Amino acid sequence: MIDPATVDRVLQVYPMLCELPAPALAEMVASATHMKVPANAVMFDESQPCMGYPLLLSGSARVVKASPNGRELHLYYVEPGEACILTSSCLLGRSNYQARCVVQNALEIVVLPPATFRLLFSTLDSFRVHVLGRFSERMADLLQLVAAVTFQKLDQRLAATLAAKPSPIQTTHQALADELGSLREIVSRLLKNFADQGWVRLGRERIEVVDAGALRRLATL
């Protein structure tokens, strides 16, 4: 069970749940669990069964596909108010996870049991629209990712990633490599090349975009 203050926060971040009738809301509150998860913790891993549906109140997590040699391909982020489509898919299909979720910034979450999630999905139209809407958005993102990995060179993908982020970018070369599904050494070499051409300025865990136009032109070649 979660306390009244936490219930209020859940309803603020996931306003569609305000439409629940009082008895259904009380049932959801009674079945839910409030958790805090530290940064870098693994929320779930490949082949694990799904134990519940998370409602994110704060923090963020990233979902990645890992290879046997340890390399990772970033799939998507999950932030407060959003739905994790992989978790939704596993719960609806009663299947195991096919990717890994790692906490990026410490999470505060409320976890609904699988039965509660399925009940909400089947009876609350706005919740179902919320979940399916995220499916649509993430599918479009993943199709773009497939196209980028298949048709673009790594320097183009890196340029597009840098140009799309607010500058200065607080990140590490390893984090960018993980996001692009590459190796840190390769990303570092490309960043140095961008810096030599005056497109970016490199610092400690910081990248300042100096010429976003040049990065965008490279990304669209």
Side-chain angles (χ1 to χ4, degrees), residues 1-4 6-7 26-35 110-111:
M1 177 178 287
I2 56 178
D3 59 51
T6 303
V7 174
E27 183 177 342
M28 185 195 80
V29 168
S31 67
T33 304
H34 185 203
M35 298 175 58
V110 167
V111 181

Side-chain angles (χ1 to χ4, degrees), residues 93-111:
R94 301 176 189 271
S95 59
N96 292 342
Y97 284 111
Q98 297 299 314
R100 175 183 302 155
C101 179
V102 181
V103 177
Q104 184 182 33
N105 299 307
L107 291 180
E108 185 177 4
I109 59 176
V110 167
V111 181

Side-chain angles (χ1 to χ4, degrees), residues 54-87:
L55 303 172
L56 275 69
L57 301 182
S58 65
S60 62
R62 57 191 300 264
V63 178
V64 301
K65 181 67 176 178
S67 68
N69 65 7
R71 293 177 60 184
E72 294 181 344
L73 178 62
H74 170 80
L75 300 180
Y76 60 88
Y77 291 105
V78 186
E79 297 183 339
E82 295 185 342
C84 175
I85 63 167
L86 190 57
T87 296

Side-chain angles (χ1 to χ4, degrees), residues 43-63:
M43 285 289 294
F44 57 74
D45 211 339
E46 296 194 38
S47 301
Q48 289 182 344
C50 182
M51 305 305 293
Y53 183 81
L55 303 172
L56 275 69
L57 301 182
S58 65
S60 62
R62 57 191 300 264
V63 178

Side-chain angles (χ1 to χ4, degrees), residues 158-172:
L158 177 59
T161 297
L162 295 176
K165 295 179 182 291
S167 180
I169 305 166
Q170 301 295 331
T171 189
T172 64

